[in-house]
Amino acid sequence: MALPNELDEEKITELKEVFAVHDPDGQGMVKASELGEMLTKLGLELFPEEVEDITFDIEKNAEGVFDYNEFEAIYIKVTKPQTEDDVMQAFKFFDKDKLGFIMADDLKNILMNIGEKMTEKEADELIKTADLNYDGKIDYMNFVGLMASELNS
């Protein structure tokens, strides 16, 4: 079994195949502008702003291209939140009105349609655990605490 920051052989093979499609000349480099399409091929649906942030960093630091190792690191970063702060930042991104909570239905939609998609059952179970007072509102701190315990297990 892979550790949280490691990928299994099947995923590595899939990443290499997607990378190779976007590196037809075998130069070992892909343009930052192709990252969004590559992640979509891997089943990830990031917001355009998220892809722009990543590609901006690539363009700023590496002349607008990235190699396979960087691609793998990007994939790990966008699929596996590593800290409570990462979870908190993601939560705040979806709390447009800055109320300190997300409605359970909105969170369910996010969990089922963005990033590594959950099944409806998985999303319902997570929301049931996170909605401590059963009001349909998922509080930042409850959710971050829950996700932190999941990340550490």
Side-chain angles (χ1 to χ4, degrees):
M1 184 173 157
L3 296 172
N5 286 336
E6 295 180 356
L7 301 171
D8 60 32
E9 289 301 316
E10 184 177 328
K11 183 55 72 178
I12 290 171
T13 299
E14 183 181 9
L15 290 174
K16 286 181 178 179
E17 288 171 358
V18 169
F19 190 88
V21 167
H22 291 270
D23 180 27
D25 299 331
Q27 299 294 316
M29 301 300 263
V30 173
K31 293 179 185 174
S33 59
E34 297 188 47
L35 179 64
E37 182 181 337
M38 294 170 74
L39 293 173
T40 300
K41 285 181 180 178
L42 293 164
L44 300 175
E45 295 181 28
L46 301 178
F47 284 98
E49 297 87 2
E50 293 174 296
V51 175
E52 287 172 19
D53 286 347
I54 297 167
T55 55
F56 177 78
D57 288 340
I58 293 168
E59 290 168 355
K60 181 175 71 176
N61 296 324
E63 301 167 7
V65 295
F66 58 93
D67 64 18
Y68 173 78
N69 290 333
E70 291 168 308
F71 179 54
E72 187 176 295
I74 291 165
Y75 179 83
I76 290 170
K77 182 176 180 180
V78 300
T79 58
K80 300 187 185 324
Q82 300 302 310
T83 66
E84 288 183 38
D85 189 51
D86 291 337
V87 175
M88 180 67 86
Q89 287 178 344
F91 197 103
K92 286 181 178 180
F93 180 81
F94 294 107
D95 180 17
K96 300 288 185 208
D97 298 324
K98 309 287 186 245
L99 300 172
F101 63 85
I102 297 176
M103 297 303 298
D105 288 341
D106 293 336
L107 180 57
K108 181 177 179 178
N109 185 44
I110 292 163
L111 294 172
M112 291 175 56
N113 293 298
I114 297 175
E116 287 196 28
K117 299 171 188 158
M118 289 186 169
T119 65
E120 184 171 9
K121 182 179 178 184
E122 291 170 331
D124 285 340
E125 288 175 10
L126 180 62
I127 289 167
K128 182 179 176 183
T129 305
D131 188 6
L132 298 179
N133 55 1
Y134 309 104
D135 63 356
K137 299 175 184 175
I138 309 302
D139 176 84
Y140 275 4
M141 296 320 226
N142 293 342
F143 188 74
V144 170
L146 177 66
M147 293 307 295
S149 67
E150 291 289 320
L151 290 171
N152 294 326
S153 63

